[in-house]
């Protein structure tokens, strides 16, 4: 039975293994003798292949010598590597490629070897052309998605960036609406909203010439499309005329953990100067502060994120904000077009 137990452990992908999972598997696949099973587990512990998770507690077998812990952990075996292997790692790759971590990871090195060779060949070439990420990925690896899906973590571990491969990301553009006189402006106030319905309402108001709220006269509107805006905000500079303007951005989204984190992530990215459009959030809180909507999607509440965002709100509304953000939510659609119209300041 020792062989079967060892095979189960070797094939188990996770580091931690429940004893019951091993036992139930063996019971299904053949004759099972508990004393032989317990002996096999104890032998594997003695051989440092697994170790008990003491905090999991022992089983309640009536014979003390047959009691096992409820959970075990696979012991990481240090693989022996040859001097020739070490020399290959340290000498055959371009000086920019920090690959010494592979010395103690021969299995991982074998998996990554193909990609390392291709990256090394490129760095040693005299290529000067800049390509998109997907174009370079296909050129080097015959997989147009590998760099964006898998390669970024590998590049980071080696201390490389996309610029070392002379490629850049193409950001999917966002939907936007500019007032007719926008091109003439040198200062632009940009409003970014999270959801499409709110974008549609603002767009209709902008078309009517209703663009000023809480003292801010907006001239440019962006549909952020949730978290996508964190990746796509850089495409704002692809819009003709933005490079000649001083841009101030304002964000308005849902009052929930993801909504406020999108706003703060955009602020930290610092692609444009940005802050929450506090007046909209405060109006939403004022109208619906007694409404308790249970979140439909599981979102992790982070105290530090909530406290940072709350610093932009007036003191009188912060308690309401914290009470809602912990377990509930308020969608920005609560400020419908009629409410927004009533908030607007006429020229």
């Amino acid at each position: 039975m020792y062989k079967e137990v060892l095979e189960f452990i070797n094939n188990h992908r996770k580091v931690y293994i429940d004893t019951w999972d091993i036992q139930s598997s063996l019971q299904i696949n053949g004759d099972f003798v508990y004393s032989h099973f317990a002996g096999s587990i104890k032998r594997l512990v003695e051989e440092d292949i697994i170790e008990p998770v003491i905090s999991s507690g022992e089983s309640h077998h009536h014979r003390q010598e047959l009691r096992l812990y409820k959970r075990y952990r696979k012991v990481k075996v240090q693989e022996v590597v040859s001097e020739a292997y070490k020399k290959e790692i340290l000498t055959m790759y371009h000086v920019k490629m920090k690959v010494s971590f592979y010395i103690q990871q021969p299995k991982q090195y074998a998996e990554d070897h193909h990609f390392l060779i291709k990256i090394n060949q490129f760095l040693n070439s005299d290529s000067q052309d800049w390509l998109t990420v997907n174009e370079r990925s296909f050129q080097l690896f015959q997989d147009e998605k590998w760099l964006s899906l898998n390669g970024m973590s590998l590049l980071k571990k080696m201390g490389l960036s996309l610029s070392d491969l002379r490629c850049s990301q193409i950001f999917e553009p966002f939907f936007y609406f500019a007032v007719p006189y926008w091109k003439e402006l040198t200062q632009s106030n940009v409003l970014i909203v999270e959801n499409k319905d709110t974008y549609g309402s603002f767009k209709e108001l902008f078309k009517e010439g209703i663009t000023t709220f809480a003292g801010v006269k907006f001239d440019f509107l962006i549909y952020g499309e949730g978290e996508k805006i964190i990746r796509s905000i850089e495409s704002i500079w692809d819009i003709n005329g933005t490079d000649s303007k001083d841009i101030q951005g304002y964000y308005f989204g849902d009052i929930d953990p993801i909504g406020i984190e999108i706003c703060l992530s955009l602020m930290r990215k610092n692609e444009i100067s940005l802050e929450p459009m506090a007046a909209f959030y405060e109006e939403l809180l004022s109208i619906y502060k007694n409404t308790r909507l249970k979140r439909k999607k599981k979102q992790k509440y982070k105290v530090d994120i909530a406290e940072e965002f709350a610093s932009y709100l007036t003191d009188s509304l912060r308690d309401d904000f914290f009470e809602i953000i912990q377990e509930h939510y308020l969608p920005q659609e609560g400020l419908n077009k009629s409410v927004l119209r009533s908030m607007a300041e006429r020229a």
Side-chain angles (χ1 to χ4, degrees), residues 79-293:
E79 297 181 76
V80 179
V81 296
S82 67
E83 289 302 316
Y85 170 78
K86 291 181 183 178
K87 184 178 180 181
E88 177 179 324
I89 296 294
L90 297 174
T91 62
M92 76 170 288
Y93 292 103
H94 193 279
V95 65
K96 282 187 175 183
M97 298 171 67
K98 297 179 175 64
V99 293
S100 58
F101 62 89
Y102 281 115
I103 290 176
Q104 300 302 332
Q105 299 179 29
K107 287 185 178 178
Q108 188 63 50
Y109 178 69
E111 291 180 14
D112 295 345
H113 185 258
H114 167 73
F115 303 107
L116 298 176
I117 293 296
K118 295 295 185 181
I119 292 171
N120 184 61
Q121 289 174 347
F122 178 82
L123 293 177
N124 284 311
S125 72
D126 58 358
S127 176
Q128 296 298 315
D129 290 338
W130 278 80
L131 303 180
T132 69
V133 170
N134 287 359
E135 288 171 342
R136 184 70 76 201
S137 187
F138 186 77
Q139 181 192 56
L140 297 182
F141 314 111
Q142 286 69 64
D143 181 349
E144 73 279 8
K145 298 294 185 183
W146 185 82
L147 265 178
S148 57
L149 296 180
N150 308 104
M152 297 301 293
S153 60
L154 178 58
L155 291 180
K156 185 176 181 180
K157 284 196 295 185
M158 293 191 295
L160 298 177
S161 66
L162 291 176
S163 62
D164 291 308
L165 297 183
R166 301 190 71 77
C167 61
S168 56
Q169 291 179 311
I170 300 299
F171 299 97
E172 188 175 349
F174 43 71
F175 290 101
Y176 67 89
F177 176 80
V179 297
Y181 52 85
W182 179 79
K183 289 185 178 181
E184 303 166 12
L185 301 174
T186 56
Q187 163 72 40
S188 177
N189 289 321
V190 176
L191 175 62
I192 304 173
V193 296
E194 182 175 346
N195 302 324
K196 66 177 183 299
D197 283 40
T198 305
Y199 170 79
S201 291
F202 272 112
K203 184 177 178 180
E204 289 186 24
L205 292 173
F206 278 28
K207 286 181 176 180
E208 294 177 29
I210 302 173
T211 61
T212 304
F213 301 85
V216 181
K217 184 176 178 61
F218 294 106
D219 47 72
F220 200 91
L221 176 67
I222 294 175
Y223 168 36
E225 202 170 344
E227 294 175 282
K228 177 185 169 184
I229 189 61
I230 300 172
R231 302 183 301 275
S232 65
I233 186 61
E234 294 179 38
S235 65
I236 193 171
W237 305 115
D238 295 331
I239 299 170
N240 186 29
T242 51
D243 58 351
S244 62
K245 300 186 193 315
D246 181 13
I247 295 177
Q248 174 60 50
Y250 297 85
Y251 188 85
F252 175 46
D254 297 334
I255 297 180
D256 61 15
I258 289 179
I260 65 172
E261 193 156 5
I262 293 171
C263 179
L264 295 177
S265 295
L266 276 175
M267 292 169 65
R268 293 191 185 97
K269 192 165 185 178
N270 202 31
E271 191 67 33
I272 62 172
S273 175
L274 187 87
E275 64 183 69
M277 185 58 185
F280 292 149
Y281 289 103
E282 289 170 356
E283 185 71 10
L284 190 59
L285 283 167
S286 296
I287 297 173
Y288 298 102
K289 62 184 178 182
N290 296 320
T291 302
R292 294 295 177 266
L293 301 175

Side-chain angles (χ1 to χ4, degrees), residues 214 252 255 276-289 309-318 320-321 330 335 343:
F252 175 46
I255 297 180
M277 185 58 185
F280 292 149
Y281 289 103
E282 289 170 356
E283 185 71 10
L284 190 59
L285 283 167
S286 296
I287 297 173
Y288 298 102
K289 62 184 178 182
F309 188 86
S311 68
Y312 291 90
L313 305 176
T314 57
D315 293 343
S316 61
L317 289 169
R318 286 179 190 170
D320 297 316
F321 168 77
L330 284 177
L335 292 194
M343 291 179 65

